[in-house]
Amino acid sequence: MPRRVAPLEELIEQFERLPGIGRKSAQKLAFYVLEMPDEQAKKFAESIMLAHEKIHRCKVCCDLTDAEICSVCSDIKRDKSVICVVEGSKDVMAIERTHEYNGLYHVLHGAISPMNGIGLDEITVKELITRLSDPEIKEIIMATNPTVEGEATAMYISRLIKPMGIKVSRLAYGVPVGADLEYADEVTLSRAIEGRQEI
Amino acid sequence: MPRRVAPLEELIEQFERLPGIGRKSAQKLAFYVLEMPDEQAKKFAESIMLAHEKIHRCKVCCDLTDAEICSVCSDIKRDKSVICVVEGSKDVMAIERTHEYNGLYHVLHGAISPMNGIGLDEITVKELITRLSDPEIKEIIMATNPTVEGEATAMYISRLIKPMGIKVSRLAYGVPVGADLEYADEVTLSRAIEGRQEI
């Protein structure tokens, strides 16, 4: 089939490259963008460029920010004695949504995964260790994903930190709130039993 | 929750406005775009702007094109005696993929739908009628969607055209190839029986 309308084909291809977007969806999105008012399309294009230009890693916690130091690190009301270590910025967003945590973060930007060639140098462990020289820090909460890679990363980092005399904790495992016990997998359930708490 | 990183939030919001993209997907897409190389992100943004600037309706058939007259209308090898009337550009793409049709198209950009305030002036019926003054045109194939609106539009347009002495046909209804008869709905099946052909 000849390329009928080059700019349209190009737009469809661009959408098709995004994760989880197939040919049909890419077509639908491209036509939707075409039918947008000019101003709205301009805003969309600009937001892509702007995000790319302005967003970089926070000098302290490595989370994504448009300032030199992110809003969490520069907030004087946050508890500077706890650092919650996560794999990505999305995890920071998820924990912030709970409104339960008031400490700082450290974003690793990945997890150790020798199979995928991701070692210590690919994630921000070095930056984390540097931060720990601050005597104010009392506790590190490992909140990497409950996957093999996340676990390994948490174990590895906790072994690095423990000799420094800083408390290291891990997110509790257990059954998700609102879920049906019947459908919980065996590993989760046995972890929930292990970690049972007195009431 | 305070807006953590304005350019990132803006990008997520832009993605969220697209059809079929929820908050979670928008977040995933925004992070994916952020992690793209600068050059690729620039290309993505440019393709949106370019598509918007360059693409307009073909002066003849109203299909989307970046030229004054689209590639089908300007192709001397196409059969200029048949016009296939469709609701949208996506339908042109679908029919072109069959490699079976060699005539021209006319894109209505919608179907008559009084409930949604779409009347004759909102679709390109006037442009179609103007084209029919060309004595070369012998047949009009109505290929609007097999929906209530598509049907009504096809009926309405065919009534306008018939007095002009031009043959008007409609796409055949029947069971989709490869489908299971058992699961065909009653209307489709009865249309398939009605339209049965000798073998």
Side-chain angles (χ1 to χ4, degrees):
Chain A
M1 195 176 78
R3 286 169 69 92
R4 290 179 54 244
V5 186
L8 179 58
E9 286 293 331
E10 170 69 24
L11 186 59
I12 295 174
E13 269 166 36
Q14 289 291 342
F15 273 116
E16 221 179 336
R17 281 186 195 164
L18 300 179
I21 308 278
R23 180 79 191 170
K24 283 266 170 186
S25 302
Q27 227 179 55
K28 195 174 77 173
L29 293 176
F31 275 106
Y32 183 85
V33 167
L34 265 189
E35 283 159 18
M36 274 180 182
D38 263 347
E39 204 186 328
Q40 204 183 327
K42 205 177 155 200
K43 235 178 155 180
F44 186 22
E46 278 173 357
S47 73
I48 293 172
M49 293 307 296
L50 212 70
H52 242 259
E53 276 165 30
K54 301 271 178 187
I55 295 178
H56 47 254
R57 293 182 183 183
C58 166
K59 277 199 170 171
V60 180
C61 72
C62 301
D63 191 9
L64 298 176
T65 176
D66 55 344
E68 193 174 0
I69 291 172
C70 78
S71 57
V72 172
C73 288
S74 56
D75 186 347
I76 50 163
K77 277 184 262 163
R78 309 276 312 203
D79 179 359
K80 302 244 186 293
S81 68
V82 198
I83 294 178
C84 177
V85 178
V86 294
E87 289 183 28
S89 285
K90 273 177 268 196
D91 305 322
V92 175
M93 284 184 176
I95 296 175
E96 283 295 282
R97 273 198 294 276
T98 66
H99 297 283
E100 284 290 328
Y101 179 69
N102 194 37
L104 303 178
Y105 292 96
H106 190 84
V107 179
L108 293 173
H109 289 284
I112 298 170
S113 169
M115 295 278 283
N116 298 313
I118 301 175
L120 273 186
D121 294 338
E122 274 71 45
I123 62 176
T124 63
V125 174
K126 218 188 296 168
E127 288 84 346
L128 175 63
I129 301 297
T130 313
R131 287 179 76 181
L132 300 184
S133 58
D134 182 347
E136 214 181 328
I137 292 161
K138 300 281 176 273
E139 182 177 357
I140 302 291
I141 303 173
M142 295 304 307
T144 50
N145 286 329
T147 57
V148 176
E149 289 85 5
E151 284 298 332
T153 308
M155 287 310 292
Y156 184 89
I157 294 177
S158 66
R159 272 183 212 157
L160 281 180
I161 296 173
K162 270 187 182 160
M164 302 167 92
I166 296 169
K167 186 179 158 190
V168 184
S169 58
R170 181 88 177 97
L171 282 192
Y173 285 109
V175 283
V177 178
D180 222 322
L181 260 200
E182 194 182 342
Y183 299 117
D185 64 288
E186 296 79 3
V187 185
T188 302
L189 210 50
S190 57
R191 292 290 194 109
I193 296 169
E194 259 174 57
R196 67 188 180 280
Q197 301 201 328
E198 220 173 307
I199 48 173
Chain B
M1 196 176 77
R3 286 169 71 91
R4 288 179 57 244
V5 187
L8 179 57
E9 287 292 330
E10 170 69 25
L11 186 59
I12 295 175
E13 270 165 35
Q14 289 291 342
F15 273 116
E16 221 179 335
R17 282 187 194 164
L18 301 179
I21 307 278
R23 180 77 191 173
K24 284 263 169 189
S25 301
Q27 224 180 58
K28 194 174 80 176
L29 294 174
F31 276 105
Y32 183 84
V33 166
L34 265 188
E35 282 157 19
M36 277 179 178
D38 263 347
E39 205 185 328
Q40 204 183 323
K42 204 177 155 197
K43 236 177 154 180
F44 186 21
E46 277 172 358
S47 72
I48 292 172
M49 292 307 296
L50 213 69
H52 243 260
E53 276 164 30
K54 300 270 178 190
I55 296 177
H56 47 254
R57 293 180 182 184
C58 166
K59 276 199 172 173
V60 179
C61 72
C62 301
D63 192 9
L64 298 175
T65 176
D66 55 344
E68 194 174 358
I69 291 172
C70 78
S71 58
V72 172
C73 288
S74 56
D75 186 347
I76 50 163
K77 277 184 262 159
R78 307 280 308 209
D79 179 358
K80 303 245 187 288
S81 69
V82 199
I83 295 178
C84 178
V85 178
V86 295
E87 289 183 28
S89 285
K90 273 176 268 195
D91 305 323
V92 174
M93 286 186 174
I95 295 175
E96 283 296 280
R97 274 197 294 272
T98 66
H99 298 283
E100 284 291 331
Y101 179 69
N102 194 37
L104 303 179
Y105 292 96
H106 189 84
V107 179
L108 294 173
H109 290 284
I112 298 169
S113 170
M115 295 278 282
N116 298 312
I118 301 175
L120 274 184
D121 294 338
E122 274 71 46
I123 63 176
T124 64
V125 174
K126 217 187 298 170
E127 289 83 346
L128 175 63
I129 301 298
T130 313
R131 288 178 75 180
L132 300 185
S133 59
D134 182 349
E136 213 181 329
I137 293 161
K138 299 281 176 275
E139 182 178 357
I140 302 292
I141 303 173
M142 294 305 306
T144 50
N145 286 329
T147 57
V148 176
E149 288 85 6
E151 285 298 333
T153 309
M155 287 310 292
Y156 185 91
I157 293 176
S158 67
R159 273 183 213 160
L160 280 180
I161 297 173
K162 270 185 182 162
M164 303 167 90
I166 297 169
K167 184 179 159 193
V168 185
S169 58
R170 180 86 177 99
L171 283 191
Y173 285 107
V175 283
V177 178
D180 222 323
L181 260 200
E182 193 182 341
Y183 298 117
D185 64 289
E186 294 81 3
V187 185
T188 302
L189 209 51
S190 57
R191 293 287 196 112
I193 296 170
E194 258 172 58
R196 66 190 180 278
Q197 303 203 326
E198 221 172 307
I199 48 171

